[in-house]
């Protein structure tokens, strides 16, 4: 899986770009939001997600990490594929989409081409709590970790452990530890305890 591609912008149009990196030209599908924020200079960095199907491997690119995370949330909804996810991000800004979902603004979501009443309800139903928990700032900014504990907690939650359970394990390790401890040691210790 690719995280991002940083290279020379060879071609751009409202639906895709060609980014050359390491002598390879990558055709990457983009939203209008990304297109409007693309730099005018040759060098460009896009956060990417690869969609693998039987007959194609397709790259989707995003100018910001937050837009990519929102896209991944959208396509996790039943009935919303990558094409529809890109259409949603092309219709209104990621911030407006996120706010509409959190506030349950059904009419705004229904105005997006290809989204009917049932799909709009499903998007709100499946994503509202997730986006509320993450907060409005979290998708539009890169995650910030204030301490080794926060970073270790985030890693453990991403590995599938419950947040409360992981917090207890980390707190126990920190109580026993005198001095500083690395994120790696915290995670290893917590994995032994969980």
């Amino acid at each position: 899986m690719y995280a991002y591609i940083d290279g020379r912008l060879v071609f751009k149009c409202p639906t895709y770009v060609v980014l050359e990196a390491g002598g390879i030209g990558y055709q990457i599908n983009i939203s209008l939001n990304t297109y409007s924020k693309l730099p005018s200079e040759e060098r460009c960095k896009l956060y990417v997600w690869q969609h693998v199907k039987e007959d194609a491997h397709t790259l989707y690119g995003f100018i910001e990490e937050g837009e990519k995370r929102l896209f991944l949330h959208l396509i996790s909804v039943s009935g919303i594929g990558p094409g529809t996810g890109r259409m949603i991000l092309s219709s209104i800004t990621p911030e407006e989409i996120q706010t509409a979902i959190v506030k349950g603004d059904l009419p705004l979501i229904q105005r997006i081409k290809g989204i009917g009443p049932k799909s709009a309800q499903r998007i709100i139903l499946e994503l509202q709590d997730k986006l509320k928990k993450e907060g409005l700032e979290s998708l539009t900014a890169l995650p910030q970790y204030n301490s080794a504990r926060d970073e270790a907690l985030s890693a453990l939650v991403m590995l599938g452990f419950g947040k409360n359970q992981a917090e207890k394990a980390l707190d126990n390790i920190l109580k026993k530890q005198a001095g500083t401890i690395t994120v790696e040691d915290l995670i290893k210790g917590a994995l032994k305890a969980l």
Side-chain angles (χ1 to χ4, degrees):
M1 184 62 78
Y2 304 107
Y4 65 85
I5 297 175
D6 187 354
R8 188 169 66 90
L9 189 60
V10 178
F11 176 80
K12 74 175 183 177
C13 71
T15 56
Y16 73 93
V17 295
V18 176
L19 208 58
E20 183 182 331
I24 300 171
Y26 296 93
Q27 181 174 328
I28 305 169
N29 293 315
I30 59 171
S31 67
L32 285 176
N33 178 63
T34 293
Y35 177 74
S36 67
K37 293 180 180 178
L38 279 173
S40 56
E41 67 265 7
E42 277 190 23
R43 193 132 188 101
C44 181
K45 176 180 178 180
L46 289 179
Y47 296 92
V48 295
W49 178 77
Q50 183 179 20
H51 184 227
V52 179
K53 293 191 304 186
E54 229 175 74
D55 58 344
H57 290 231
T58 310
L59 288 173
Y60 291 86
F62 312 92
I63 197 76
E64 298 160 341
E65 177 70 26
E67 184 183 12
K68 177 183 173 182
R69 287 197 305 267
L70 181 57
F71 174 81
L72 293 175
H73 276 302
L74 289 169
I75 64 171
S76 73
V77 174
S78 175
I80 305 293
T84 305
R86 184 172 69 152
M87 177 62 71
I88 293 170
L89 291 170
S90 292
S91 300
I92 55 178
T93 67
E95 293 81 12
E96 290 172 326
I97 295 164
Q98 188 172 349
T99 303
I101 293 169
V102 168
K103 291 183 177 178
D105 189 349
L106 200 60
L108 178 63
I109 296 171
Q110 280 182 257
R111 282 199 300 259
I112 298 168
K113 184 177 184 239
I115 302 295
K118 288 183 181 177
S119 294
Q121 287 172 343
R122 201 171 323 124
I123 289 170
I124 290 172
L125 182 67
E126 292 185 30
L127 297 181
Q128 192 172 40
D129 289 339
K130 287 181 189 177
L131 296 181
K132 276 182 185 175
K133 285 179 187 173
E134 290 185 21
L136 288 175
E137 298 82 37
S138 68
L139 283 179
T140 55
L142 290 173
Q144 299 295 317
Y145 302 107
N146 297 328
S147 66
R149 181 192 179 277
D150 292 342
E151 194 168 343
L153 177 63
S154 176
L156 291 168
V157 170
M158 288 186 79
L159 288 172
F161 294 100
K163 186 175 181 181
N164 292 340
Q165 184 184 20
E167 283 178 330
K168 288 177 187 173
L170 290 171
D171 290 339
N172 288 337
I173 294 166
L174 290 170
K175 284 178 190 173
K176 295 174 187 174
Q177 181 70 28
T180 60
I181 186 168
T182 66
V183 174
E184 184 179 341
D185 290 337
L186 266 174
I187 293 170
K188 284 179 181 178
L191 288 174
K192 289 177 186 173
L194 293 172

